[in-house]
Amino acid sequence: MPLVKPEMTARRLVSQPSRLLTSMAVVASRLVAEGLAEIGARRYHYALLSTLAEFGPSSQAALGRRTGIDRSDIVSTMSELEEARFIERLSDQSDRRRNVITITAKGETRLEELDGQLRQIQHSLLAPLTPAERQQLVKMLLKLCVHHAGNGGSN
Amino acid sequence: MPLVKPEMTARRLVSQPSRLLTSMAVVASRLVAEGLAEIGARRYHYALLSTLAEFGPSSQAALGRRTGIDRSDIVSTMSELEEARFIERLSDQSDRRRNVITITAKGETRLEELDGQLRQIQHSLLAPLTPAERQQLVKMLLKLCVHHAGNGGSN
DNA sequence: CGCATATCAGTAGGACTGAAATCA
DNA sequence: CTGATTTCAGTCGTACTGATATGC
């Protein structure tokens, strides 16, 4: 949904935190999607490469649990990343149901590149906020995430 | 996308404001969708009824501009609201391309009902924040909305 | 047996596009 | 003629579901 100027939005509507949150998420998603598309990437690429870089080789299922990406979408994204040689996908010798996914050196380089692009994106997303406000915002959003991830999202 | 516990998420990932924002938007959207579904409503119903209540009778195109809802989705939502007698849809005598949409008394009552439900939803969404933090959060999100709605989303 | 993993095909709902009909 | 409005049909990308094959 396109963002509407708050001045022309019904007051009841514009003051709903859920609406503010989803409106800004739309903006953020667009900035991220467009910014990454410029260099031929998608959100999932960053999520998966950064997870592989931090936690080391993993099965696809483990990556799904860590990132929240559906098992089914992991499959297709892995095929993309494999084709570009950003990851290697080998079948696990100790458990032959699994693939072991490993980030390659080329993948690490790619990750740096994505990092740079994302830094710029976050900057333009948060442009109107002071550094202190940005920290505040992140802190509160994290608090919300921790709370709502605590259980299966039951409250 | 399901929400993942921040503790188990790659650090690079979890600290991206865009990700925090979109993660929380998913939670918020789900709470809203489920909460409204309980009483047989959808987000668009609230957006359109509250806009009609505040600004008075409008054409469908005007409602679309005010709410950010696509012209095409306005059509189908209006049909739902009309069937439930929450709005009246008459063709405009002074400009016969247009429909004039008016909220009914029944629609006003419905709006109160939706308001009550949404109050509860916002409460459980923001549960872990103090009242001061909630205000802070809303203030910052509004600032972001104003900034990004200012132009066509060009930065 | 029950359970986990990877894969593929296909669904569901939401945002959006294109074109037609109508009219200012 | 240009441009706005309503409507319908259909597309697109994303999250997700179901089923299958394989192996623990």
Side-chain angles (χ1 to χ4, degrees):
Chain A
M1 252 204 330
L3 194 45
V4 173
K5 288 179 205 274
E7 315 88 85
M8 66 180 290
T9 304
R11 279 195 301 273
R12 279 195 242 232
L13 210 49
V14 81
S15 62
Q16 301 280 339
S18 60
R19 177 171 170 112
L20 289 169
L21 224 32
T22 51
S23 296
M24 283 316 303
V26 169
V27 172
S29 294
R30 239 166 239 180
L31 287 174
V32 170
E34 288 168 9
L36 292 182
E38 279 176 22
I39 55 175
R42 299 187 302 119
R43 286 178 208 70
Y44 285 179
H45 295 188
Y46 185 73
L48 292 168
L49 290 178
S50 61
T51 300
L52 284 167
E54 180 163 338
F55 298 104
S58 319
S59 72
Q60 296 182 185
L63 287 171
R65 283 186 294 266
R66 272 218 192 274
T67 57
I69 299 173
D70 190 84
R71 69 209 193 298
S72 186
D73 300 314
I74 297 267
V75 172
S76 46
T77 309
M78 279 307 152
S79 302
E80 293 175 23
L81 293 174
E82 188 181 28
E83 194 178 14
R85 312 283 172 207
F86 296 143
I87 58 114
E88 264 184 357
R89 185 199 251 173
L90 300 172
S91 86
D92 188 336
Q93 293 310 338
S94 66
D95 181 346
R96 300 210 317 285
R97 290 169 306 180
R98 296 181 180 171
N99 291 336
V100 177
I101 309 295
T102 310
I103 189 169
T104 63
K106 195 175 170 212
E108 304 262 14
T109 304
R110 176 62 159 179
L111 180 54
E112 305 289 322
E113 198 183 342
L114 300 186
D115 257 325
Q117 191 75 358
L118 276 168
R119 214 176 341 264
Q120 285 184 261
I121 293 167
Q122 306 303 339
H123 184 269
S124 65
L125 174 63
L126 302 182
L129 301 186
T130 66
E133 286 176 320
R134 296 179 198 198
Q135 268 196 314
Q136 265 275 312
L137 180 63
V138 166
K139 188 182 139 207
M140 291 189 297
L141 290 175
L142 250 178
K143 215 189 238 192
L144 290 176
C145 279
V146 169
H147 173 81
H148 288 283
N151 33 61
S154 62
N155 46 336
Chain B
M1 256 212 319
L3 192 46
V4 173
K5 289 179 204 273
E7 314 90 84
M8 66 181 289
T9 304
R11 280 195 300 273
R12 279 195 242 231
L13 210 49
V14 81
S15 62
Q16 302 280 338
S18 61
R19 176 169 170 111
L20 288 169
L21 224 32
T22 52
S23 295
M24 282 317 303
V26 170
V27 172
S29 294
R30 241 167 238 181
L31 287 175
V32 170
E34 289 169 7
L36 291 183
E38 280 176 21
I39 56 176
R42 299 188 303 119
R43 284 179 208 69
Y44 285 178
H45 295 189
Y46 185 73
L48 292 167
L49 290 178
S50 60
T51 300
L52 284 167
E54 180 161 339
F55 298 104
S58 319
S59 72
Q60 297 182 180
L63 287 171
R65 284 186 293 268
R66 273 217 191 275
T67 57
I69 298 173
D70 190 85
R71 67 207 194 295
S72 185
D73 301 315
I74 297 267
V75 173
S76 46
T77 308
M78 278 309 154
S79 302
E80 293 175 22
L81 293 173
E82 188 181 28
E83 195 179 12
R85 311 284 173 207
F86 296 143
I87 59 115
E88 264 184 358
R89 185 200 252 173
L90 301 171
S91 85
D92 189 337
Q93 294 309 340
S94 66
D95 182 346
R96 301 211 316 285
R97 292 169 303 179
R98 298 183 179 171
N99 291 336
V100 178
I101 310 295
T102 309
I103 189 168
T104 63
K106 195 175 170 211
E108 303 262 14
T109 304
R110 176 63 159 178
L111 180 53
E112 304 290 323
E113 198 183 343
L114 300 186
D115 258 324
Q117 191 76 358
L118 276 167
R119 214 176 344 263
Q120 286 185 261
I121 293 167
Q122 307 302 339
H123 184 268
S124 64
L125 174 62
L126 303 182
L129 302 185
T130 67
E133 285 176 321
R134 295 177 199 198
Q135 268 197 315
Q136 264 275 312
L137 180 63
V138 166
K139 189 183 138 206
M140 291 190 297
L141 290 174
L142 250 177
K143 214 187 237 189
L144 290 175
C145 279
V146 169
H147 174 81
H148 288 283
N151 33 60
S154 62
N155 46 338

